[in-house]
Amino acid sequence: MTGGGLLVAGTTSDAGKSVVTAGICRWLVRQGVKVAPFKAQNMSLNSFVTKEGAEIGRAQAMQAQACRIEPSALMNPVLLKPGGERSSQVVLLGKPVGEMSARGYHGGRQQRLLGTVVDCLAELRSTYDAVICEGAGSPAEINLRRTDIVNMGIARSARLPVLVVGDIDRGGVFASFFGTVALLSPEDQELVAGFLVNKFRGDVSLLEPGLDMLHGLTGRRTYGVLPFRHGLGIDEEDGLRVSLRGTVRESTVAPPVGEDVLRVAVCAIPLMSNFTDVDALAAEPGVVVRFVDRPEELADADLVVVPGTRGTVRALEWLRERGLADALARRAAEGRPVLGICGGFQILGEHIEDDVESRRGRVDGLGLLPVRVRFAPEKTLTRPVGKALGERVEGYEIHHGVATVTGGEPFLDGCRAGSVWGTHWHGSLESDGFRRAFLREVAAAAGRRFVPAADTSFAALREEQLDRLGDLIEQHADTDALWRLVESGAPPGLPFVPPGAPA
């Protein structure tokens, strides 16, 4: 028996598809429904490693958590990881299969993957009561419709009803809703069941006449109006958001436990990946996190983080061009803390041999850690567990660089030299005991009277946030009508809205 399904599309990128999908998933699982997320194709530098060693988008991992299930490669069969303006690494069923230009991908490769994504979705639907799918960008991207596998392409192939989300905070939501439907073919329009308004501020009664007119123009109803809530976008695909500080704690931010705050500066390097690593720092009372791109902005930082990147050599050159490399060297000489994660760890080493990513051969690193890096064709995808600073640590690794440590003190899989730390482990700061121990070391080196809170649980904060997403759906959407869509598909007889897709 095939389970129900729904595709959450959007009028634009960042309309709220990821969080609405997660909210519907959490609402359904609280009703006792066995539910899974799905995104046929994701373009993101924020990724995660499943227990089976497959790489998928972090948004789908977060949605799996909303469903209270383990993430798998079936939930995101195609992941594109940009490596520049015109090319991306293609990750298929969790494993990299090569680099491809946008023209080459949309010129034929993408459409050949449709069978694979349809099979993955069918396997999920055979296992779960419902599968909530997320689209990408807009379903009305008429230049890409012929090869589409993530919006109407998958909806048509799997006969999924489509809910279109619009961000009213941006303005123009009625035109966006109408135009999205009107630019689809009659066959695609048959599956577009209706709309969901996201990020509404004010009195809903003032919006209702417009919703009635939209229904009259399109024959499609609005399934809910979600109010604006600060920072519900956890595990963003592409945006620069450190959300947990002002969002999970929607109430007044807890004051610092100690007398001082701790200031963290994150170098906003090119092709930055998995910057969600610092969300766990931002969740701590008294820790202030900001992204920086000038050396002057490092001056008052107690900790500088050099995050992961899909372009290690390019990021290294950028740090030198901006004067940030010299600022990092001065910090190290003064005994002021620096943490490098994955690509950032590689940058802090002595040299890099790269015939894979940039194909630049040997490149000198910053020389702040006794580490030599060689890029291997195979990608390391693991979920390591270990100990550091006397505490248990869990993480995940996603990298081509193989590090040889020649000195310093052991630190996870990397090392520590004085006040400079480096590791390939993403997600390590989500381990509460380790994070607190690390912050105590940072505070001591920085001379700050900062004390980490004894009761901050990153996992609990994330669960609270997912529950808030579920609450939004439960309280502000027509959940009975949503379930009918999931169970029975789009209503029959939906009218055609001219002009339709161009020939």
Side-chain angles (χ1 to χ4, degrees), residues 188-212:
D188 286 351
Q189 287 193 25
E190 287 177 2
L191 295 173
V192 179
F195 313 107
L196 186 77
V197 177
N198 192 27
K199 298 183 183 178
F200 179 71
R201 305 173 191 251
D203 186 344
V204 176
S205 66
L206 299 176
L207 186 67
E208 288 171 348
L211 301 179
D212 292 339

Side-chain angles (χ1 to χ4, degrees), residues 9-12 138-142 152 162 164-165 173-185 188-189 192 195 497 500:
T11 56
T12 62
S138 161
E141 291 168 348
I142 54 179
M152 300 313 300
V162 178
V164 181
V165 177
V173 74
F174 292 115
S176 298
F177 282 146
F178 181 85
T180 296
V181 178
L183 280 177
L184 299 179
S185 68
D188 286 351
Q189 287 193 25
V192 179
F195 313 107
V497 179

Side-chain angles (χ1 to χ4, degrees), residues 265-393:
V266 184
C267 296
I269 55 180
L271 297 174
M272 183 166 44
S273 61
N274 285 66
F275 51 80
T276 47
D277 282 332
V278 298
D279 274 358
L281 295 178
E284 284 285 348
V287 176
V288 180
V289 177
R290 67 182 189 272
F291 288 85
V292 304
D293 61 3
R294 296 174 59 87
E296 297 85 358
E297 295 175 293
L298 303 189
D300 67 343
D302 302 306
L303 169 67
V304 174
V305 177
V306 186
T309 173
R310 251 283 278 154
T312 304
V313 171
R314 178 178 168 186
L316 182 55
E317 292 173 341
W318 181 88
L319 289 167
R320 288 186 167 122
E321 291 165 1
R322 294 264 176 160
L324 286 159
D326 290 339
L328 288 168
R330 287 194 298 271
R331 285 187 67 88
E334 295 165 1
R336 303 176 67 199
V338 176
L339 170 65
I341 302 174
C342 199
F345 166 43
Q346 297 165 9
I347 284 168
L348 298 178
E350 295 171 356
H351 68 255
I352 297 167
E353 293 277 354
D354 182 10
D355 295 318
V356 176
E357 193 175 76
S358 69
R359 301 183 181 178
R360 294 280 297 276
R362 180 174 169 135
V363 178
D364 288 338
L366 298 187
L368 305 184
L369 286 175
V371 174
R372 297 166 187 169
V373 176
R374 177 185 55 82
F375 273 61
E378 302 79 24
K379 182 183 282 192
T380 298
L381 296 168
T382 63
R383 291 267 293 269
V385 177
K387 287 193 75 172
L389 304 179
E391 299 286 347
R392 186 176 188 274
V393 188

